[in-house]
């Protein structure tokens, strides 16, 4: 008999827990067993603060603050003092870091700090094949694998507009994206972006190659 009561109690609890507690709404937050650090005292952007004399939570930059890039190499001088030798430290060169000239237009060619060697272009080829080819295709004709999944708007690099486009603008597209193309600044360092630009130029050159681009001694082997 006692066993029957236990069974009944168990079934009631089971039914209640499965069906009885459905659909209850509450405006109170759910019970948090482990609140971790989900909720903390903080200031939201542009909020006010009684703590600071000027009443602003956002603090202005201390005078003399300089922009800080990531390509910083700390070195030591002969007295053992640390200094930053990399000219990229301030990212002051707009052409190198934004592809832009002083008047804000996109520049042509490559920054003077960059030497376009075969090795550099091959670096660009590797990065291109990882990050760009899925959409733009290994030939740069816009026929990457994503096309067969419905991404139809990827342009070819071989039309006149993109062939005439300044190197700085291609750099800018990589750094900041364009319309439906996302930015690749988080995946490609500034110099890698230039390497990809160089490789895009190589693809364009290859797609418009003529017999004169082939060294005479190799022409015989062409079909
Ligand atoms: C996820 C797909 C995708 C990837 C990956 C991608 N692109 Fe694009 N790209 C696009 C699309 C789509 C457009 C057309 C954007 C538009 O609507 O103008 C575009 C446009 C461009 C343009 C032309 C911009 C213009 O002014 O018309 C360039 C140059 C370009 N991409 C270069 C690159 C390079 C270099 C990479 C690799 C770092 C890359 N893209 C990676 C999809 C992609």
């Amino acid at each position: 008999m006692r066993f029957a009561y236990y069974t009944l109690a168990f079934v009631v609890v089971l039914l209640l827990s499965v069906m009885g507690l459905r659909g209850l709404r509450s405006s109170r937050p759910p019970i948090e067993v482990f609140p971790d650090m989900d909720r903390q005292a903080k200031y939201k952007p542009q909020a006010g603060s009684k703590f600071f004399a000027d009443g602003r939570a956002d603090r202005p930059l201390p005078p003399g603050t300089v922009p800080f890039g990531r390509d910083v190499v700390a070195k030591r001088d002969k007295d053992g003092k640390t200094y930053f030798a990399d000219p990229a430290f301030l990212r002051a060169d707009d052409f190198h870091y934004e592809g832009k000239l002083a008047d804000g237009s996109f520049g042509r060619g490559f920054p003077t700090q960059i030497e376009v060697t075969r090795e550099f272009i091959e670096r660009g080829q590797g990065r291109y094949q990882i990050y760009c080819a899925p959409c733009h295709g290994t030939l740069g004709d816009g026929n990457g694998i994503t096309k067969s999944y419905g991404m139809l708007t990827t342009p070819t690099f071989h039309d006149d507009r993109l062939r005439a486009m300044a190197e700085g603008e291609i750099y800018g597209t990589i750094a900041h994206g364009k319309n439906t193309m996302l930015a690749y600044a988080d995946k490609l360092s500034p110099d890698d972006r230039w390497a990809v630009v160089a490789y895009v130029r190589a693809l364009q050159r290859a797609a418009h190659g003529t017999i004169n681009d082939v060294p005479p001694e190799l022409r015989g082997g062409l079909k």
Side-chain angles (χ1 to χ4, degrees):
M1 194 57 205
R2 200 164 45 140
F3 191 66
Y5 280 127
Y6 285 152
T7 312
L8 186 68
F10 176 74
V11 169
V12 167
V13 169
L14 190 74
L15 281 178
L16 267 180
S17 62
V18 174
M19 309 178 74
L21 302 175
R22 281 183 165 192
L24 282 185
R25 294 203 177 159
S26 165
S27 56
R28 282 184 300 165
I31 298 162
E32 283 175 281
V33 183
F34 299 110
D36 294 327
M37 287 158 73
D38 286 350
R39 266 154 286 281
Q40 305 173 42
K42 67 172 176 229
Y43 284 121
K44 299 220 162 121
Q46 311 212 340
S49 162
K50 293 203 185 88
F51 183 78
F52 295 106
D54 63 1
R56 292 188 289 172
D58 293 348
R59 303 317 301 150
L61 298 175
T65 306
V66 291
F68 193 87
R70 276 183 284 175
D71 293 356
V72 182
V73 183
K75 298 201 171 164
R76 286 181 196 284
D77 63 17
K78 56 182 168 25
D79 305 322
K81 249 184 91 188
T82 307
Y83 72 104
F84 295 100
D86 196 320
F89 177 54
L90 296 182
R91 300 205 162 192
D93 182 344
D94 272 352
F95 184 45
H96 193 169
Y97 294 103
E98 290 297 331
K100 287 189 175 171
L101 304 178
D103 64 0
S105 66
F106 290 109
R108 294 194 174 270
F110 288 82
T112 45
Q113 301 87 339
I114 283 175
E115 209 189 326
V116 182
T117 59
R118 189 187 175 97
E119 203 190 354
F120 186 72
I121 298 174
E122 281 170 358
R123 170 77 185 162
Q125 177 181 35
R127 299 293 100 187
Y128 178 89
Q129 286 172 351
I130 294 169
Y131 293 114
C132 318
C135 295
H136 289 281
T138 42
L139 301 176
D141 55 7
N143 288 323
I145 183 72
T146 52
K147 184 149 272 181
S148 52
Y149 290 91
M151 185 136 193
L152 303 176
T153 53
T154 313
T156 166
F157 295 143
H158 306 313
D159 66 9
D160 291 341
R161 187 179 68 88
L162 286 170
R163 287 174 69 208
M165 182 175 274
E167 281 79 3
E169 188 166 0
I170 302 179
Y171 176 95
T173 301
I174 301 174
H176 304 294
K178 174 144 192 192
N179 299 330
T180 43
M181 181 183 140
L182 295 181
Y184 283 80
D186 57 334
K187 302 182 180 68
L188 295 168
S189 70
D191 286 10
D192 275 353
R193 292 172 219 161
W194 284 111
V196 170
V197 173
Y199 186 65
V200 168
R201 283 291 180 241
L203 286 174
Q204 290 173 327
R205 176 90 194 269
H208 289 83
T210 64
I211 190 72
N212 296 325
D213 293 314
V214 184
E217 65 274 19
L218 297 176
R219 286 180 196 172
L222 293 178
K223 293 199 181 115

